Amino acid sequence: MEELFSNLSFGLSVALSLNNLLFLVIGVVVGMIVGIFPGFGPAAGIAILIPMTFGLEPTTAIIMLSGIYYGAMYGGTITSILINTPGESATVASTLDGYPLAKNGRAGPALVMQAIASFIGGTIGVVLICAFTPFLANFAASFGPSEYFLIVMLGLLLLTTMMGENLLNGIISALLGFAIAIVGVDAISGAQRYTFGSPELIGGIYFVPVAIGLFGIGELLNCLYEGQHRQATEKLKITFMSKDFWPEAKDYIESKVTFFRGAIIGFIAGVLPGSGATIGSIMAYSIEKKVAKDPEKFGKGEMRGLVAPESANNAASAGAMVPLISLGIPGSGATAVLLGALLMWGLQPGPLLIVEQPDLVWGLIASMYLGNMMLVLISILAIPLFVKFLDIPYRLVVPVIIILCVIGTFALHSSIIETWMLVFTGILGFGMKRFGYSPAATVLALVLGAMAENTFLQSLIIGDGSLRIFIDRPISMFLSCILLGIIVVTIVLRVRKMLTNHGEEGSSAH
């Protein structure tokens, strides 16, 4: 416990520096704005703003980008409650009771309660991070290339959770990411691969233009295709000075257990790579409805139905940092973009990061405490201001963001090829969105593909070409067994599902 407080005090000394604090404020405010715009999401916001962080220290940049990630969870619920449009997939469950609350004339109490629930969920998540991170850091000295390869393979196996119902489309999405990852110079032989004689491709295809294209431009084009630029904005007036703005005492009393139950469920979902805030919020809502004595109230404007997913999605965003920082495994599109940002600054996420970069790790964790405090105040006091963003016509927002994407990408290396790559991947991302492919799987495969290849080749060199290196040591054996177990369970579940579907089809035919 003494070591925990020592680490936290050290982290606070890093996070409270004027520069880090300034960019933390920028990050959480931008995150809220990103969350408010429907369909945009934290992954796109982080990807677009990565080029603007190149002049910053790595710790400052990661604090800001992480602020965008969990700040989007706060902002995404504003549109869920007010106009029944989730700003981010993790806030979909919040529409089920949030919008009915607004229709019942309780928009103010709903917005305040979601801010408090988000704060409690985020804070509990950060407390649990403090407990988990040092525990995983103890394994730092035991990890070699073979262990890192097996961990990367765990992350790649979890791609299946990002692939949706259409497994074939998901596999194609992942293979596209692997194909992009192998462009450049072979790490062992030094031979050029798929560079087509271009000096700019010798170093490989850069992560940033691909991420901005797939997530940012692709999402914007999809929103235009769906006609969001033609939809009239709904004029809403909300003032926090009104007595009807604040929740009643019974709202707090009825939700006192829900705050913590949702946070625990969300954190567990966040820690499990591939699960994330969306699944965590839906699970929290479902469980809350099942344990309630009056489940018939849910879906009609029940405050517990809003509190549960809100505390869950913010705790999940904190929980997702545990596998990202400790093991280098991202569990969602947003954390995959964060992983790419860490690698871009030459930081290798994993157990050694906690030992070698304690200022970054503990500064980030402490900044999440501070960020949640800022967000709960901003969420409540600036709700009328954020609602004004909904009045901005979408047709004006889109071209501004696209221009910023192009300028940011070109500013990276003054490369026309990377700028054209942004345009191409933007069109590709739009097509993937329309036809059921997974941009998140592509980005995760791009980020992890090169790591998998390098650690695999290093392991074979150390083991003189023998695959026994992956089962020789206790940790390698343990990770190999987990990998095998996941593969077997996945196959069994898919076969059972196919047999069940076949049986149902057969019975309906009779």
Side-chain angles (χ1 to χ4, degrees), residues 47 70 121 123 144 164 193 314 320 344 353-354 379 388 410 485 503:
Y70 55 85
T123 302
R193 302 182 299 194
N314 283 272
M344 191 174 58
L353 182 67
I354 305 165
S379 295
K388 290 293 181 184
F410 182 77

Side-chain angles (χ1 to χ4, degrees), residues 176-258:
L176 176 62
F178 292 135
I180 297 171
I182 64 172
V183 173
V185 176
D186 183 87
I188 303 301
S189 67
Q192 293 186 28
R193 302 182 299 194
Y194 305 105
T195 60
F196 303 103
S198 171
E200 293 191 59
L201 292 177
I202 290 175
I205 292 179
Y206 209 44
F207 161 80
V208 174
V210 176
I212 295 177
L214 290 177
F215 283 115
I217 304 295
E219 289 285 354
L220 291 172
L221 292 176
N222 186 57
C223 289
L224 289 173
Y225 179 83
E226 292 179 348
Q228 288 194 25
H229 60 295
R230 298 194 200 97
Q231 296 175 7
T233 55
E234 187 176 344
K235 304 291 182 181
L236 295 159
K237 282 190 176 181
I238 292 181
T239 60
F240 63 86
M241 296 302 293
S242 169
K243 66 176 183 179
D244 296 331
F245 185 82
W246 302 99
E248 299 172 1
K250 71 168 189 173
D251 292 324
Y252 296 107
I253 295 169
E254 290 177 353
S255 303
K256 61 181 185 295
V257 178
T258 307

Side-chain angles (χ1 to χ4, degrees), residues 137-158:
N138 291 332
F139 292 101
S142 305
F143 274 64
S146 58
E147 285 82 9
Y148 275 114
F149 171 74
L150 292 169
I151 285 177
V152 171
M153 290 306 296
L154 277 172
L156 292 174
L157 268 183
L158 292 164

